[in-house]
C-alpha cells in the first residue's frame, strides 16, 4: 500500500533524475545469474549511501583477509552509494542494491547471496530481512550503530515494534555510550551491545596520500598557487549554500581574499546545476569540477564539485572548511574527513547525525560551531585572515582523530564471536552494561 501511495514520487525521480529504473530488478531480488554462480557462502555487508560505504571499507578489507573461504558482498540503497562502492571498494566479490523489505524479495536475495553473516552499517534496520536471517540461521550484526537525537523520539513512539526487531539482531556495535543507552531504551538486550567507537575514524587516511594516484587524482585539477586561499563547503544542502556564498564574497572583498577560491560540493547530485546558478547569481565566475583542465589552476572564483567520491581528498587543498547539512535541520555531515588533514572546521547548530563526534570536537577546541548566517560570516572572515587560529584548530582536529582510532579492531572482534575464526587468537570484548 505504501509503495502504491509513493509510486508517483518514485516515477518522478526515475524520469527527472534517472533514479531507480536501472536497479528495480535487484530491488525485487533478481540478481544477475553470474552474481554468485557457484552458490558460495558469503558475508553480506549493507551500507545505505556514501558515508556508510566509506565507514564500511576498513572492516570489509579485514573481513576479506580473515575469512578467505567466504565471499564478501556489499549492498547499498542509494545510487551515489552504489557508484562509490563499485569504484572505490576493491575488496568485495560483488555490489548490488538492497532488496525491498518484503518477504519474497528478501528470500530471493538470500538464496543467491547465501550469507553466513549479515552486517548492517549504522541504522539500517529492515524487519523482514532480519526476520528471514533469523529463520534461516544467518547471524546478524549492526556496526557503527547510532540513534540520532533527531530520530530517537520517533523511534521511541514505536518501542514495542523496535523491541521485536532488535531482538532479531545478534550483536549491536554502538558508536558511543549515548547511542548504546538509546538502543537499550528501545528494547535491545544490553548484553548484546558493545561500544566500539566510530568506524569513520578508521576510514580516514593516516598520512595524506600522494597526489595524482588513485582517488587522489582530483588534486591534479587543483594545482593551486601557494598563496591562494580556499574555502571548501562540503556536503551542502538547499537553504544554506546562499549563506556560504555570501560569507565567501565578504571575505573576497578584502585585500587578502581578492584571489580566493570557493569549492562548493552539494550533497545531492541533482542539485549541481542549482548550486552553479546560485554562485553565478552572486557574481562569482563559476565552473564545474568536470570541466576543469587537468594539471592546471582553476581560473574561476568558484568550483562546483559535480563528481562523486572526490570531496574527502579535496579537503587537502582547503584553507578552511564548512561542513554542510548543519545550518539547516538535516543532521549534519562528516567532519572527520577534513579533520584528518588538520583543517579548521566550521559547522552549524544541526549536527545530530554526528552528535557525539561534534561534541568531542567542540570540547577539545577542534572545531567552531555557528548558529546562523551572521556568525558564519564573522567566523569565515576571521579564520581566513588568521593563520595562527587556523593552525591551532587544525592541529587539535588531527590530534583528536589520531586519539580515537581502534573501532575497526573492536568491531571485528565482535563479528568474530558470531563467525569464529578457524585459527588465530580471538579478542575479548566486554558487553555494554547500563549503569544506574
Amino acid at each position: 500500500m505504501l509503495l502504491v501511495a509513493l509510486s508517483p514520487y518514485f516515477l518522478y525521480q526515475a524520469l527527472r533524475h534517472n533514479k531507480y529504473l536501472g536497479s528495480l530488478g535487484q530491488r525485487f531480488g533478481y540478481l544477475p545469474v553470474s552474481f554468485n554462480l557457484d552458490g558460495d557462502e558469503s558475508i553480506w555487508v549493507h551500507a545505505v549511501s556514501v558515508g556508510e560505504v566509506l565507514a564500511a571499507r576498513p572492516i570489509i578489507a579485514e573481513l576479506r583477509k580473515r575469512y578467505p573461504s567466504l565471499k564478501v558482498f556489499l549492498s547499498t540503497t542509494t545510487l551515489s552509494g552504489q557508484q562509490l562502492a563499485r569504484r572505490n571498494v576493491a575488496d568485495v566479490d560483488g555490489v548490488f542494491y538492497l532488496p525491498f523489505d518484503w518477504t519474497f524479495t528478501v528470500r530471493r536475495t538470500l538464496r543467491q547471496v547465501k550469507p553466513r553473516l549479515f552486517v548492517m552499517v549504522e541504522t539500517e534496520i529492515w524487519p523482514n530481512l532480519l526476520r528471514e536471517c533469523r529463520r534461516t540461521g544467518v547471524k546478524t550484526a549492526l556496526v557503527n550503530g547510532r540513534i540520532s537525537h533527531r530520530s530517537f523520539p520517533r523511534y521511541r513512539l514505536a518501542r514495542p515494534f523496535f523491541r521485536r526487531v532488535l531482538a532479531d539482531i545478534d550483536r549491536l556495535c554502538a558508536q558511543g555510550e549515548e547511542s548504546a543507552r538509546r538502543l537499550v531504551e528501545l528494547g535491545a538486550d544490553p548484553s548484546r551491545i558493545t561500544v566500539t567507537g566510530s568506524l569513520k575514524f578508521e576510514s580516514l587516511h593516516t598520512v595524506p596520500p600522494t597526489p595524482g594516484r588513485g582517488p587522489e587524482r582530483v588534486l591534479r585539477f587543483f594545482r593551486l598557487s601557494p598563496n591562494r586561499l580556499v574555502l571548501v563547503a562540503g556536503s551542502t544542502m538547499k537553504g544554506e549554500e546562499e549563506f556560504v556564498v555570501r560569507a565567501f564574497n565578504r571575505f573576497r572583498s578584502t585585500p587578502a581574499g581578492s584571489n580566493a577560491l570557493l569549492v562548493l560540493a552539494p550533497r545531492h547530485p541533482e542539485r549541481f546545476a542549482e548550486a552553479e546558478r546560485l554562485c553565478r547569481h552572486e557574481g562569482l565566475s563559476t565552473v564545474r569540477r568536470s570541466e576543469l583542465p587537468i594539471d592546471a589552476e582553476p581560473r574561476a572564483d568558484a568550483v562546483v564539485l559535480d563528481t562523486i567520491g572526490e570531496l574527502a581528498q579535496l579537503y587537502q587543498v582547503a584553507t578552511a572548511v564548512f561542513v554542510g547539512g548543519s545550518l539547516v535541520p538535516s543532521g549534519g555531515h562528516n567532519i572527520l574527513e577534513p579533520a584528518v588533514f588538520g583543517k579548521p572546521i566550521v559547522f552549524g547548530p544541526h549536527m545530530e547525525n554526528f552528535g557525539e563526534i561534534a561534541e568531542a570536537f567542540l570540547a577539545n577546541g577542534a572545531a567552531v560551531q555557528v548558529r546562523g548566517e551572521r556568525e558564519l560570516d564573522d567566523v569565515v572572515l576571521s579564520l581566513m585572515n588568521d593563520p595562527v587560529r587556523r593552525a591551532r584548530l587544525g592541529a587539535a582536529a588531527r590530534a583528536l582523530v589520531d586519539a580515537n582510532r581502534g573501532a575497526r579492531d573492536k568491531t571485528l572482534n565482535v563479528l568474530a564471536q558470531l563467525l569464529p575464526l578457524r585459527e588465530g587468537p580471538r579478542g575479548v570484548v566486554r558487553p555494554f552494561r547500563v549503569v544506574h
Side-chain angles (χ1 to χ4, degrees), residues 2 36 123 170 173 194 218 291 312 338 395:
L2 184 61
N36 191 11
T123 318
D170 293 299
C173 299
T194 304
V218 65
E291 299 170 348

Side-chain angles (χ1 to χ4, degrees), residues 243-290:
F243 303 154
V244 174
V245 174
R246 290 169 192 160
F248 173 75
N249 263 338
R250 183 183 174 193
F251 169 65
R252 189 165 159 267
S253 66
T254 66
S258 59
N259 190 37
L261 174 67
L262 171 66
V263 178
L264 189 61
R267 175 68 172 178
H268 299 121
E270 59 267 25
R271 297 195 55 257
F272 292 154
E274 181 183 348
E276 184 178 10
R277 287 193 299 271
L278 170 65
C279 290
R280 293 185 187 279
H281 182 265
E282 294 292 332
L284 299 176
S285 61
T286 306
V287 66
R288 294 193 180 200
R289 144 67 186 92
S290 58

Side-chain angles (χ1 to χ4, degrees), residues 330-360:
S330 293
H333 293 301
N334 195 347
I335 60 178
L336 300 176
E337 290 172 342
V340 76
F341 296 114
K343 301 300 180 179
I345 300 163
V346 182
F347 52 78
H350 302 287
M351 288 294 292
E352 294 83 2
N353 291 344
F354 294 84
E356 294 171 348
I357 294 176
E359 289 174 7

